[in-house]
């Protein structure tokens, strides 16, 4: 997990690479090109708006997205099975 967060922070600070790097044996090195662009973009926006360091901006983005996901789970489960079920699903 820590490797992913380091990649997201690197992408937020420096952007995506514009080329692939290759090992001496000719195989491609691991690349950041496969990472979802929304997370680094949100981290960069939070950094630019709040002037927080990139790691703190990443925590703000993570907690904000967790709250939004919990609200979505509560809304969906609550509409299908009732409010108590919505709270139970969020708790789980």
């Amino acid at each position: 997990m820590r490797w992913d967060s380091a990649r997201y922070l690197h992408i937020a600070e420096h952007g995506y690479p514009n080329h692939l790097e290759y090992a001496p044996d000719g195989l491609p090195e691991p690349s950041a090109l496969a990472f979802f662009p929304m997370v680094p973009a949100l981290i960069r926006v939070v950094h630019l708006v709040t002037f927080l360091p990139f790691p703190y901006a990443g925590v703000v983005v993570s907690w904000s997205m967790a709250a939004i996901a919990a609200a979505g789970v509560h809304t969906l489960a609550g509409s299908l099975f009732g409010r108590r079920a919505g709270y139970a699903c969020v708790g789980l």
Side-chain angles (χ1 to χ4, degrees):
M1 188 66 143
R2 188 173 186 160
W3 185 86
D4 287 348
S5 62
R7 282 289 187 169
Y8 279 129
L9 290 175
H10 181 77
I11 294 168
E13 290 183 55
H14 306 288
Y16 281 94
N18 57 6
H19 64 283
L20 288 175
E21 295 185 17
Y22 293 92
D25 61 0
L27 294 174
E29 292 283 343
S31 174
L33 291 174
F35 281 83
F36 184 61
M38 181 63 93
V39 174
L42 288 172
I43 293 171
R44 181 179 286 270
V45 166
V46 169
H47 167 73
L48 292 173
V49 170
T50 64
F51 301 107
L52 286 171
F54 281 100
Y56 293 121
V59 170
V60 169
V61 168
S62 294
W63 280 96
S64 299
M65 294 302 109
I68 290 170
V73 166
H74 178 270
T75 301
L76 179 63
S79 67
L80 293 174
F81 305 111
R83 272 181 72 185
R84 292 183 68 193
Y87 288 122
C89 287
V90 169
L92 290 173

